[in-house]
Amino acid sequence: MSALRLAVFDMDGTLLDSLPDLAECCREVLAQCHLPLLSDAQVRGMVGNGVQALVERALQAALEQKAEASGALPAMPLSTEEAVSRFMAAYTPRATRLSRLFPGAEEALRRLHAQGWLLAVCTNKPEKAARRILSDFNLTSLFASVGGGDSFAARKPDARHLLGTIAQAGGTPARSVMVGDMPPDYLAAQGAGCPFVFAAWGYGAPDLAHKVEAMSMQDVPAVLEQLIPA
């Protein structure tokens, strides 16, 4: 008997339109540092490599904006650790205040689950935040595994993050598919030997559009069925 099929989803930009809350929390940290505030569009291009990368990119962009206005590059106002701590203090209690599942996401997940697919999340977001989001949207029971950015010794694009999530879900790489919108998702899938589906509706990278593509979450069950038939 073949191993169960496993669909592994990235979270930000794939299952969840999280940009509004991420951007608001970035602006909160920047305001505390008396730095220029960034727009949602500016923050969008910074999402995908985890909280530390997001916060560092936001601070650097704001510092550069301030330097353009003043003619001198100011010093970094906070250590990376303190900036991340302040961001998470703002983000954790409000992770779903403005964020919403992408259209069709819940229906697609429930359809896959009903068809016998195992489901997992592999995200560079901290596991606690990812689990809180799934709970807020009443999706926890659908998922066999949640691999956060702090769940294993490595995180995407390192394949060990995806492989750990697959193992935790009870799947095998040969019968698993990674669905995501960013290069770290694709690179993790490539390293793990899994097919990759590009979430074209997300925050993604246009250079991934030549990969197996789904234009909306509604497309995902049919696309996955073609990649790994029952």
Side-chain angles (χ1 to χ4, degrees), residues 146-167:
V146 178
D150 54 357
S151 300
F152 304 102
R155 60 182 177 84
K156 298 179 298 185
D158 194 309
R160 289 176 294 169
H161 186 182
L162 177 54
L163 289 169
T165 302
I166 291 169

Side-chain angles (χ1 to χ4, degrees), residues 85-172:
S85 176
R86 292 189 186 193
F87 178 91
M88 289 306 300
Y91 182 70
T92 300
R94 64 154 298 150
T96 56
R97 188 177 301 174
L98 300 174
S99 300
R100 296 292 180 266
L101 296 172
F102 281 103
E106 182 173 357
E107 293 82 356
L109 292 172
R110 294 194 181 281
R111 180 177 169 189
L112 288 166
H113 190 263
Q115 291 173 344
W117 285 79
L118 295 171
L119 302 179
V121 165
C122 184
T123 174
N124 281 339
K125 185 187 294 295
E127 181 180 337
K128 181 180 178 181
R131 289 187 178 277
R132 164 74 184 272
I133 288 164
L134 293 177
S135 176
D136 285 354
F137 288 109
N138 298 312
L139 297 175
T140 300
S141 63
L142 297 180
F143 287 89
S145 174
V146 178
D150 54 357
S151 300
F152 304 102
R155 60 182 177 84
K156 298 179 298 185
D158 194 309
R160 289 176 294 169
H161 186 182
L162 177 54
L163 289 169
T165 302
I166 291 169
Q168 196 174 72
T172 63

Side-chain angles (χ1 to χ4, degrees), residues 213-229:
E213 187 170 19
M215 298 307 297
S216 70
M217 273 296 297
Q218 290 96 324
D219 297 336
V220 169
V223 171
L224 298 192
E225 190 67 36
Q226 290 178 344
L227 287 172
I228 305 182

